[in-house]
Amino acid sequence: MVETQSRRAQILASAAELFARKGVGATTVREIADSVGVLSGSLYHHFESKDAIVDEVLGDYLDALRARYAEAVARGTNAADCVRQLVLASLEVAEQQPFATAIYQNELHYLREQPRFKQVQTAAAAVQKTWLAVIEAGVANGEFRSDIEPRVFYRLIRDALWLSVRWHRPNGDYPTTTLAEDVTSVFLDGYTARRKSAARSRTGSTPKRAVKR
Amino acid sequence: MVETQSRRAQILASAAELFARKGVGATTVREIADSVGVLSGSLYHHFESKDAIVDEVLGDYLDALRARYAEAVARGTNAADCVRQLVLASLEVAEQQPFATAIYQNELHYLREQPRFKQVQTAAAAVQKTWLAVIEAGVANGEFRSDIEPRVFYRLIRDALWLSVRWHRPNGDYPTTTLAEDVTSVFLDGYTARRKSAARSRTGSTPKRAVKR
DNA sequence: GTCTATACATCGATAGAC
DNA sequence: GTCTATCGATGTATAGAC
């Protein structure tokens, strides 16, 4: 179960972890090679360059994210539900690819400066467009507030969501689905306690956990 | 007005900008030197090492943040108001020192691995403690919800707040005070429209605006 | 306080043996 | 497919002239 991965996949996985922790610019090809147990020269049998590794890590991640987003908006029944689905989709992809998620959010600004990573730019634009369309539709139909700009709300929820890969380690006690509920609930309902809001209480929302906390 | 800064201050300011944009590890001393118009060797007359520059940039920032946080909690009249004050304090310090803020949030995890930056660790712990104390007090007295862990709420608002330095450029149209109100309002009240909440509506769209919830 | 000049380590990447 | 060996560029940092 430990040697079923191709060397190529091993390199991608190890490199992603290093890029996420230290940053792309501060990670050396020798470190990547060490982490998979080969010498640095051997990496170039599998990849053209260090940038090519970055490209592939982010490309795989963005493909997964876009595919999952398409499902999410298709499933949503209204704006609030679409937000719920997008939150869950983001966190599920982040759970599957935590390191790529971290790289994406840590280095997006820097990568955008380099024409090499144009693919990343266009994918990031598509992600933003998906969110904004949902939020603006919710404002237009009265589901969401109109006194806060959709763009501001998008950026707040996006950053809170993406950064959760830095601290959230999915496990039985606090699974991704529960985090998704908490994020959705805070951003849509707020953290202020409101009396008599039984409709928001968390009874049958998910299969997991009965009362807890 | 352009030469009133000491060379030392120039170096700190330029280095902070580079560290924020490219990452500490990917920024070279030659780039820092170029950006202030000297040769790289000359930097070492002012600083012991590249790490010493990082230390000082972050130290100045964390000192300002802690001082401002002490005022904020002292001013708050209840938990919700303390959150409001902490949000405003964070954004004001971020406005004064946007690059240091970006470095802090971009590289905190990596810097924590190095004993060199122990100062940063302890300051980060103090920041978290301030927030958690406020949030837990609010849960205890019923102001805040008890079905979402204080730690989770803290991390969500912290990340949304800190990351705003990546996109928010304070100006007359959208000043820091307004962003602070928006952040506070989303996190405490939520984004879902609620009927009959005239108290929350934003009549005077831009500067000041009277009602203020 | 800045320069010239350079030491010495490490970087990404390549060539060719095995 | 991995190794040995190494190139040329670039990294941090230092020493001493000016």
Side-chain angles (χ1 to χ4, degrees), chain A:
Chain A
M1 197 70 93
V2 104
E3 264 304 342
T4 57
Q5 262 186 134
S6 70
R7 178 113 292 175
R8 191 186 164 81
Q10 281 179 26
I11 294 168
L12 286 171
S14 274
E17 180 163 1
L18 288 166
F19 291 155
R21 195 173 82 243
K22 314 187 34 165
V24 171
T27 301
T28 69
V29 292
R30 282 177 177 70
E31 288 173 313
I32 299 171
D34 282 354
S35 71
V36 298
V38 297
L39 291 186
S40 66
S42 304
L43 289 184
Y44 293 84
H45 174 75
H46 302 277
F47 296 94
E48 261 197 350
S49 66
K50 178 180 157 184
D51 280 352
I53 301 178
V54 177
D55 250 341
E56 189 150 331
V57 167
L58 287 179
D60 291 351
Y61 167 71
L62 290 168
D63 287 346
L65 190 65
R66 278 193 283 189
R68 194 67 187 69
Y69 269 20
E71 290 178 27
V73 291
R75 247 204 299 268
T77 57
N78 57 21
D81 194 47
C82 279
V83 166
R84 212 182 316 276
Q85 297 286 345
L86 284 174
V87 167
L88 184 60
S90 304
L91 293 178
E92 281 177 356
V93 177
E95 180 175 356
Q96 287 156 16
Q97 305 192 46
F99 301 125
T101 304
I103 299 165
Y104 175 71
Q105 64 85 8
N106 276 332
E107 317 228 16
L108 181 58
H109 278 65
Y110 180 48
L111 297 179
R112 287 177 74 154
E113 293 178 5
Q114 302 169 261
R116 175 80 165 83
F117 299 102
K118 195 180 175 187
Q119 157 202 229
V120 175
Q121 291 182 47
T122 56
V127 165
Q128 168 166 340
K129 196 179 167 189
T130 302
W131 276 95
L132 275 182
V134 165
I135 295 167
E136 282 166 356
V139 170
N141 75 7
E143 280 183 75
F144 298 148
R145 300 167 58 170
S146 59
D147 62 335
I148 291 178
E149 283 192 27
R151 204 170 287 267
V152 170
F153 178 74
Y154 160 64
R155 284 162 170 159
L156 294 178
I157 196 169
R158 172 199 63 186
D159 292 341
L161 255 186
W162 255 250
L163 268 281
S164 73
V165 293
R166 289 194 185 163
W167 55 268
H168 181 239
R169 295 288 165 267
N171 60 37
D173 283 348
Y174 196 54
T176 296
T177 50
T178 306
L179 173 59
E181 287 173 37
D182 287 352
V183 170
T184 304
S185 185
V186 165
F187 274 92
L188 294 187
D189 303 328
Y191 196 55
T192 303
R194 269 178 286 273
R195 321 132 274 283
K196 290 281 183 245
S197 57
R200 200 185 311 109
S201 83
R202 219 187 243 167
T203 46
S205 38
T206 18
K208 310 291 179 194
R209 96 177 179 211
V211 173
K212 254 222 126 166
R213 134 174 79 257

Side-chain angles (χ1 to χ4, degrees), chain B residues 73-174:
Chain B
V73 291
R75 247 203 300 268
T77 57
N78 57 20
D81 194 47
C82 279
V83 166
R84 214 183 314 278
Q85 298 285 346
L86 284 175
V87 166
L88 184 59
S90 305
L91 293 178
E92 281 177 356
V93 177
E95 181 176 356
Q96 286 156 16
Q97 304 192 45
F99 301 125
T101 305
I103 299 165
Y104 176 71
Q105 64 85 10
N106 276 333
E107 318 227 16
L108 180 59
H109 279 64
Y110 179 48
L111 296 178
R112 287 177 74 153
E113 293 178 5
Q114 302 168 263
R116 176 79 165 84
F117 300 101
K118 195 179 175 187
Q119 157 202 230
V120 176
Q121 289 181 48
T122 56
V127 165
Q128 168 166 339
K129 195 178 167 191
T130 302
W131 276 96
L132 275 182
V134 164
I135 294 167
E136 282 167 356
V139 171
N141 75 7
E143 280 183 74
F144 297 148
R145 299 167 58 169
S146 58
D147 62 335
I148 291 178
E149 285 192 26
R151 205 170 287 266
V152 170
F153 178 73
Y154 160 65
R155 284 162 170 160
L156 294 178
I157 195 169
R158 172 199 62 186
D159 292 341
L161 255 186
W162 254 250
L163 269 279
S164 73
V165 294
R166 289 195 184 162
W167 55 269
H168 180 240
R169 295 289 166 265
N171 60 38
D173 282 349
Y174 196 54

